Amino acid sequence: MRLPDINNVTYDNSKLIKYLKLKKIEPIKMEINIMSDKDKVKAIKTAERMIRSSLEYKAYIKYLKKYIDMTKCSFFNNVNNKDGKKISIEIHHEPFTLFDITQAVLEKQLDETGEVNLFNISEEVMKLHYQCKVGLLPLSATVHELVHLGEVFIPLQSPRGDYIGFLEEYDRYITMDMKDMLQEKLKLSRQVQDLSLLETKYTYVEVDGFKFPSLVSQEKISSSIEKINEYQSTQEPNMWDSLNESNEQVKF
């Protein structure tokens, strides 16, 4: 292959590179107009995506798993991603979801400034996380999905974090639906005595003509073993002992 001769070739870079001078750079505006409830929901979900994809949120979740031991499911302790296990442990917001928290912050900003700035909302929500004013707990992917489907109830005693502090600070901006939900969860939490909700429980069916099974005490097991040993010591060698003796006498 022949190489081009570039030693005698000159280029005029001034013709290729153009300089554009900007006297003033306008800042990026993240204010949006809220005309309806549909616009508000859309803004909240957009802010949620910004929060979850931010470096601050990812660093926060990493810190929780590394130093706060949020590496195992709150219901199934054996389900964890320690020692390099490829098991998904997700951080769940409880009793207020990330949507609920973002909604309260949006309402506060709308009340105080009259506008909605997604950057400011995301920053304030992250500040609440770093102040530990949100309730969190680790869940396996399956349990997390069941919680969002309403199939699993999480008592208010379980989440970590000062979500009461959030409730007190943003009381004016928390909707009545959220407050009613919290009251209902409080009522159910008071009824919960055993927090191991997903532990395996057995139901025994008693059928006529069959004796219901019962646990044998350790004392009864020890007594039975002693009786067996006493009986064997008074008996002649059994068939297996005789067979072993005969095998020892046979030489190949």
Side-chain angles (χ1 to χ4, degrees):
M1 183 178 68
R2 299 181 60 184
L3 297 176
D5 184 10
I6 62 174
N7 294 325
N8 299 322
V9 179
T10 58
Y11 294 95
D12 186 4
N13 292 331
S14 61
K15 296 181 180 179
L16 300 177
I17 300 176
K18 295 183 179 181
Y19 295 93
L20 180 64
K21 293 183 179 181
L22 299 177
K23 295 182 179 180
K24 185 179 179 181
I25 300 178
E26 294 292 333
I28 299 176
K29 294 183 178 180
M30 288 298 292
E31 291 85 3
I32 57 175
N33 295 323
I34 302 296
M35 306 299 294
S36 63
D37 290 339
K38 186 176 180 180
D39 292 337
K40 189 177 293 185
V41 171
K42 185 177 179 180
I44 295 170
K45 291 185 176 180
T46 302
E48 266 192 288
R49 288 193 295 269
M50 292 173 60
I51 293 165
R52 293 187 187 276
S53 61
S54 68
L55 295 176
E56 292 81 4
Y57 187 80
K58 292 177 180 178
Y60 177 76
I61 297 299
K62 186 177 180 180
Y63 178 89
L64 292 179
K65 292 183 177 181
K66 185 174 181 180
Y67 296 103
I68 313 298
D69 194 28
M70 286 196 176
T71 57
K72 58 186 177 182
C73 180
S74 298
F75 288 96
F76 299 109
N77 291 332
N78 290 333
V79 179
N80 59 73
N81 56 12
K82 294 181 179 179
D83 303 324
K85 294 180 181 177
K86 294 183 179 180
I87 296 176
S88 177
I89 299 297
E90 302 170 351
I91 305 300
H92 173 66
H93 291 74
E94 184 71 29
F96 301 108
T97 65
L98 184 57
F99 183 94
D100 297 333
I101 298 167
T102 307
Q103 182 179 12
V105 173
L106 181 145
E107 295 290 352
K108 176 187 175 183
Q109 186 180 118
L110 199 58
D111 179 60
E112 292 180 349
T113 65
E115 62 182 20
V116 174
N117 186 300
L118 297 181
F119 279 143
N120 294 342
I121 291 173
S122 302
E123 183 179 358
E124 188 168 345
V125 171
M126 280 310 310
K127 184 178 179 181
L128 289 169
H129 281 76
Y130 278 83
Q131 290 175 339
C132 298
K133 288 186 177 180
V134 295
L136 301 168
L137 75 164
L139 298 173
S140 65
T142 302
V143 176
H144 198 182
E145 184 177 354
L146 290 174
V147 170
H148 283 288
L149 289 174
E151 300 293 334
V152 175
F153 171 68
I154 298 177
L156 295 179
Q157 305 94 308
S158 299
R160 302 182 188 181
D162 182 22
Y163 59 86
I164 300 299
F166 166 78
L167 179 62
E168 293 173 347
E169 183 177 348
Y170 290 83
D171 179 62
R172 290 177 52 195
Y173 309 106
I174 294 177
T175 64
M176 287 305 302
D177 289 341
M178 291 167 61
K179 291 181 179 179
D180 292 341
M181 174 273 297
L182 192 62
Q183 287 291 339
E184 188 65 25
K185 286 188 175 182
L186 180 61
K187 188 186 302 182
L188 292 173
S189 297
R190 287 173 176 168
Q191 300 174 3
V192 174
Q193 300 297 327
D194 184 9
L195 298 182
S196 56
L197 300 179
L198 294 183
E199 285 186 358
T200 303
K201 294 179 173 58
Y202 300 95
T203 301
Y204 296 97
V205 179
E206 187 173 354
V207 181
D208 292 339
F210 292 88
K211 186 177 180 180
F212 192 76
S214 59
L215 294 176
V216 180
S217 65
Q218 186 66 35
E219 292 78 8
K220 189 171 183 180
I221 294 175
S222 300
S223 177
S224 299
I225 293 174
E226 290 177 0
K227 289 181 180 179
I228 292 173
N229 292 335
E230 290 176 0
Y231 175 79
Q232 288 181 342
S233 63
T234 60
Q235 300 299 312
E236 295 181 356
N238 58 27
M239 178 184 67
W240 299 112
D241 292 336
S242 302
L243 186 59
N244 288 332
E245 290 177 1
S246 61
N247 286 337
E248 291 177 358
Q249 296 174 0
V250 176
K251 294 182 180 180
F252 296 95

